[in-house]
Amino acid sequence: MNTIQHISVTTQIAESVKNSILDGQFPAGSKLPTEAKLCELLGVSRSSVREAIRELQAQGYIALQAGKGAFVCDNQKHDYETVRKWFIESAPKLEDFSEIREALETLSVRLAAQRGTNAELEELYHIHRDFIAAAQENDIAKMADDDERFHAQIVTMAHNSLLKKLNMLLSAELKRYRFMAISVKKTSENTIREHERIYDSLKIREQRVAVSAMLEHLAMSAAEMKQILESPDGENGNQTN
């Protein structure tokens, strides 16, 4: 028999709104109904709607504008030139993120190898499999979400509350980068292979191997970003995130 799944009201609300976005009911750039209206439409409490909105924001489906409300993000696959233009405009900020990311993620993976539980490692494996499934379906938004979940799970395994807070700040800024990089990918094989090496190193609790695997992964990500910036013809190879 299958395990009974207890899905929270918040998750159900988030999935309902997400499906409406994906179905085109709320196109990119449009404003979502107010919290009060969503409460009325879905028959739920305001606190549950507010938490669901935060989940959707974390997943990159919506963006909150102060004093204006929640707006649907552009999560459609972009052509190469559009993505390249975005990378050029964002390059200085992305370089800063890359430097901080290297410091935080190598620390995270080292601590995760030391402190992560078997249950947490199993969850990391399931997230990795989710990414592979999304890649097979070429689901860009899901791949970006699963990539973020993979790295966030490693931070969870580090069992350091401050590190977790810092990663949340960094992840919020990297959402669009992840989506844009995956949007112009030719294949996700690099990402899958590198994630698998990271997972394998954590499974055997080898801290140095885990750090090496993470550094290789981040170096590939930086190389792919550089190639997008320097290749106007779209010969950008395989994206890694």
Side-chain angles (χ1 to χ4, degrees), residues 9-10 13 35 39 44-54:
V9 173
T10 296
I13 296 169
E35 289 182 1
C39 291
V44 293
S45 69
R46 194 153 189 163
S47 61
S48 295
V49 167
R50 191 170 293 122
E51 183 62 30
I53 291 297
R54 282 197 289 264

Side-chain angles (χ1 to χ4, degrees), residues 124-139:
L124 184 68
Y125 175 77
H126 288 311
I127 294 170
H128 177 53
R129 298 303 304 177
D130 285 346
F131 182 92
I132 293 173
Q136 291 171 344
E137 295 294 328
N138 198 28
D139 187 334

Side-chain angles (χ1 to χ4, degrees), residues 28 30 50 82-83 90 92 96 116 120 122 128 138 157 171-173 175 187 195 212-213 224 233:
S30 66
R50 191 170 293 122
T82 299
V83 173
S90 305
D96 289 344
E120 290 168 342
E122 184 177 358
H128 177 53
N138 198 28
M157 294 171 66
S171 294
E173 296 291 345
K175 283 183 185 300
T187 173
H195 279 191
S212 176
E224 294 294 352
D233 57 358

Side-chain angles (χ1 to χ4, degrees), residues 19 21 34 50 70 86 100 111 119 129 149 181 183 185 188 194 206:
N19 288 336
I21 292 172
T34 63
R50 191 170 293 122
W86 180 88
I100 298 301
L111 294 177
R129 298 303 304 177
R149 289 171 58 216
S183 188
K185 74 176 184 65
S188 296
E194 290 157 20
E206 285 286 350

